[in-house]
Amino acid sequence: MTDLHKLAAVLDEAARTGRAVPRPEQDYGVADAYRVQEELIRLRLERGDRLAGVKLGFTSEGKRRQMGVHDVIFGRVPESSAILDGSYADISGFIHPRVEPEVVYLIGRRIASPGDALAPGAVAAVAAGIEVIDSRYEDFRFSLPDVIADNTSAAGYVVGPWQPYDPSRWNLGVVLEIDGRVVQTGSTGAILGDPRRALAEAVRLALQAGMVLEPGWVLLAGAATPAEPLVPGARVRAEIQHLGSVSFTASVSESASASASASASASESASAPGPTTPGASAETPGVSGVQGASERPGTSGEES
C-alpha cells in the first residue's frame, strides 16, 4: 500500500527543488490520490501559502476517452503560483512546463451547494487566462491517481483583465501564440461542451473534498486547446474572443543560468579528448543507448 503522507512529501520536495521523481511503485485509487493532494496542499499552507482558488482537469471529452476515465478531476490553486499578466516569470524551478489557454471565472460569493452555482452573482467576472502545468513525475508520465495526487500538475497561472460575465457568450474562439506564432486554436466549447458547466462541476468536486468555493477565488475552468511546451525566453499569449488577451514571458534566474553554464562547461571538459597512450585508440568503444519508457500503464501528456 502506498504511504500517502510520504508520497505527498516526495511530490512537495519535487516541486520545490525542480527535480522529477519516479511514479509510485504501488497502486492506489482515486480516493487516496485526493488525500495525497490534500496533504500536499497542507504542506504548502503550513509554509505560509494561501489558496487562491480551484481548477479542473480532463474537461475535454477526447482527453477523458484517452485516459479511459468518465469524470473531470479537481485541483487546488495556491496563491504563490500566480503570474502577473504581461510580466516575466522565472521558470527555472520547473521540470518540464507546458502552457494552455483557459477560461478563468472570478467567484462572486460563497458557493456551498450545486444549486448556489446557478444563482445570480455566483460568477462576478470572467477573463482569458493561461495555465502553466508541470508534472512532477519523470518523463511527464502518470496514471489518473498520480496526476490527482500531484495536484493536477498545477504550477502557475496568469489572468487577463476581468470582463463582465455574460452567460450567453460561451462558445468563443481561442488562440494560443508563442513568440508571435499561432501554435493552437480552439473553442471554449471544448470545455465540458459548455464552459458554464465548469462552476457546477467545481462545486460538486469541492464538496466531495470538504470544501466550498469562497468569494474572490478563481476557477480555472479547463484547457480549451492541447498544451504546448514552455522554454526559457518564450513569450506566451492567449486570446479569447470577447474576453481579450493575456500574456507573459518565460525567464530564467541569473543563478539558474550560471548553474546551467557551469554544468555545460563541466560536461564539455569531461568529454574533451585527453592525451592518448601510444598504440591506444582515442575512439575507445563505449555504451550508448536510450532508456526505455516504463511498461507500467500510464499516460504521457497534459492532464486537462
Side-chain angles (χ1 to χ4, degrees), residues 105-171:
Y105 294 118
L106 178 64
I107 304 303
R109 56 178 175 77
R110 197 169 193 263
I111 305 176
S113 72
D116 289 343
L118 304 176
V123 175
V126 62
I130 299 170
E131 185 182 12
V132 181
I133 57 174
D134 185 33
S135 173
R136 266 58 71 166
Y137 299 110
E138 292 175 347
D139 302 321
F140 217 106
R141 294 186 62 85
F142 45 74
S143 66
L144 177 63
D146 291 338
V147 69
I148 292 172
D150 191 27
N151 196 29
T152 66
S153 302
Y157 71 101
V158 198
V159 181
W162 292 111
Q163 306 294 337
Y165 176 55
D166 181 353
S168 68
R169 289 178 168 176
W170 60 271
N171 191 11

Side-chain angles (χ1 to χ4, degrees), residues 97-100 130 175-184 226-238 248-250:
R98 305 181 182 190
V99 289
E100 52 193 24
I130 299 170
V175 175
L176 178 66
E177 299 176 355
I178 295 182
D179 294 330
R181 182 173 63 88
V182 174
V183 292
Q184 292 288 346
E228 287 286 331
L230 179 64
V231 298
R235 185 177 187 276
V236 183
R237 179 179 179 271
F248 78 100
T249 301

Side-chain angles (χ1 to χ4, degrees), residues 9 31 37 60 92 108 125 134 139 156 159 187 212 249 301:
Q37 183 189 119
S60 159
S92 58
D134 185 33
D139 302 321
V159 181
S187 166
V212 298
T249 301

Side-chain angles (χ1 to χ4, degrees), residues 8 23 29 53 80 103 113-114 126 185 196 228 239 270-271 292 300:
R23 294 173 53 205
S80 62
V103 173
S113 72
V126 62
T185 60
R196 295 173 296 186
E228 287 286 331
E239 182 172 359
S271 61
S300 176

Side-chain angles (χ1 to χ4, degrees), residues 215-232:
W217 276 11
V218 297
L219 165 59
L220 306 185
T225 75
E228 287 286 331
L230 179 64
V231 298

Side-chain angles (χ1 to χ4, degrees), residues 90-103:
D90 182 8
I91 66 168
S92 58
F94 294 150
I95 301 168
H96 25 220
R98 305 181 182 190
V99 289
E100 52 193 24
E102 301 255 346
V103 173

